[in-house]
Amino acid sequence: GHESAAATDDAGALFGNPAGVGLRYPAELLGSWASVENGPDLSRWALTLGGLGLGYERDGDLAHTIGLGQAVGGERLRLGWGVDWRVDDRAHRTTTDHRLGLLARPTPWLALGAVAGHVFEPTFAGARQDRVWTLAAGLRPLALDPARAHGWGTRLTLTADVAMAEGAAREDARVRVGGELEVLPGVLVR
């Protein structure tokens, strides 16, 4: 859950905003594992080649997901689509879920993202998944200097994301702020 819809442009975009798939590097392999206290472990794997991505996610012994994503467009404007086949490991039922994304970078110092999640509102584990809209902005303060805009300027990004289920009250919106620093090519701290 550390991906921003406006900033994630590596293989991790497959799990958030599919418009970012393949933007940072032409080919990538991502592996991650997180242990949650009193909860299931989460592991994720993704392989991207250009704007195409294949992912796998395991949520403890509860569920696993196989996903496919495709992104088209350039640095300034990209569109993405992702489809996940999520398997409820307890009930042995598979649900298909779709996500649409948009990523815009009109200038080197600004990134904007939008994601429509659970587009067709599928049912998983007996519960309907409400459509979720996410709007995000990323600011790259080092890129405000034109001399650094295309080098070090894109290595630091400050982000803010707002996600809300369709039809929910404004008070139920989830707000997440974060930052990302690429300390070495391919090594990110979020």
Side-chain angles (χ1 to χ4, degrees):
H2 62 268
E3 298 90 3
S4 169
T8 306
D9 56 5
D10 56 10
L14 192 60
F15 305 105
N17 184 351
V21 170
L23 187 56
R24 186 177 300 221
Y25 299 109
E28 266 189 290
L29 175 64
L30 168 97
S32 69
W33 172 78
S35 180
V36 180
E37 187 175 333
N38 298 324
D41 289 352
L42 177 67
S43 58
R44 287 179 167 176
W45 291 92
L47 175 66
T48 61
L49 184 58
L52 185 63
L54 179 64
Y56 177 79
E57 184 175 39
R58 174 158 285 290
D59 189 2
D61 295 330
L62 304 175
H64 68 275
T65 304
I66 296 172
L68 180 65
Q70 174 72 50
V72 295
E75 174 80 22
R76 289 186 181 264
L77 182 65
R78 286 176 74 84
L79 300 172
W81 161 79
V83 61
D84 292 328
W85 294 277
R86 189 162 191 204
V87 179
D88 180 342
D89 290 335
R90 296 164 296 180
H92 304 289
R93 290 202 173 114
T94 302
T95 300
T96 303
D97 195 5
H98 296 267
R99 183 170 62 262
L100 296 172
L102 174 72
L103 183 61
R105 296 199 172 143
T107 66
W109 56 268
L110 179 64
L112 302 169
V115 177
H118 310 302
V119 173
F120 300 112
E121 299 181 305
T123 299
F124 180 74
R128 184 173 142 241
Q129 306 295 302
D130 291 330
R131 190 172 298 116
V132 176
W133 298 94
T134 303
L135 297 176
L139 174 65
R140 294 181 165 143
L142 299 177
L144 288 167
D145 176 9
R148 289 192 228 167
H150 297 286
W152 276 96
T154 60
R155 290 197 173 191
L156 172 65
T157 306
L158 306 174
T159 62
D161 291 48
V162 177
M164 186 162 38
E166 189 169 277
R170 234 182 318 175
E171 301 82 44
D172 294 335
R174 295 183 314 265
V175 177
R176 179 174 51 202
V177 295
E180 173 183 290
L181 177 64
E182 187 173 14
V183 291
L184 296 169
V187 179
L188 303 172
V189 177
R190 291 184 172 138

